[in-house]
Amino acid sequence: MKEIEIKSVLEVFDSFDELPEDIQKLMHQSMIVRDKAYAPYSEFLVGAALLLENGEVILGNNQENACYPSGLCAERTAIYYAGANFPEVPVLKMALCAKSLKYQLLTPTPPCGACRQAIGEYELKQKKPIEIYFMGETGKVVKSKSLVNLLPLTFDNSYL
């Protein structure tokens, strides 16, 4: 048996104010759309703002359904919209924020596994990384230079 070590490198900003100005603007857009999420069951709101290479900003939020598997996360709502409407335009950056209506969420909240897989597909398709910034309602913000830091063993088309 051989053991391997996988290393992820993330940057942590102590507060929203430490972010570069362009990322603050993108994150602010994700906050606005987060508060419009449809989450009557979990009361957990998530917003996503994607910056495309052409300057377009795509917004998405989570959309729940009484039949839980029928809902969709904010990240996939936004990235699928970008893929449908701007199929040849790379996604450069993604700002994500989450908020609970039950408690104050201070922990940076990364994408779920399904969203990581979807983002990974778009990184593979565009052959360039997507910077991902994520936070809770307030507090620290985490930056990943690529989805690979969040899902290092991504399932991709090389296995098919």
Side-chain angles (χ1 to χ4, degrees), residues 59-101:
L59 304 176
N61 54 28
N62 56 315
Q63 299 294 310
E64 292 184 349
N65 190 290
C67 178
Y68 286 127
S70 296
L72 196 61
C73 299
E75 298 91 329
R76 285 181 285 153
T77 299
I79 206 158
Y80 292 159
Y81 182 92
N85 292 284
F86 302 93
E88 302 306 319
V89 182
V91 177
L92 300 179
K93 300 175 185 191
M94 178 180 280
L96 310 169
C97 63
K99 174 182 180 178
S100 173
L101 298 179

Side-chain angles (χ1 to χ4, degrees), residues 39-64:
Y41 308 106
S42 70
E43 296 183 350
F44 191 80
L45 313 175
V46 181
L50 282 58
L51 176 63
L52 305 185
E53 191 173 70
N54 65 2
E56 289 280 339
V57 174
I58 305 300
L59 304 176
N61 54 28
N62 56 315
Q63 299 294 310
E64 292 184 349

Side-chain angles (χ1 to χ4, degrees), residues 90-147:
V91 177
L92 300 179
K93 300 175 185 191
M94 178 180 280
L96 310 169
C97 63
K99 174 182 180 178
S100 173
L101 298 179
K102 299 175 185 175
Y103 58 91
Q104 187 175 29
L105 181 59
L106 303 176
T107 306
T109 308
C112 74
C115 288
R116 292 177 196 203
Q117 185 65 40
I119 296 164
E121 184 73 20
Y122 280 82
E123 275 196 356
L124 179 69
K125 176 187 171 197
Q126 67 187 33
K127 297 182 176 81
K128 65 171 41 172
I130 299 171
E131 284 184 11
I132 303 169
Y133 296 81
F134 55 92
M135 65 182 290
E137 186 176 347
T138 186
K140 296 181 188 292
V141 181
V142 175
K143 173 189 175 185
S144 176
K145 291 181 181 178
S146 170
L147 184 276

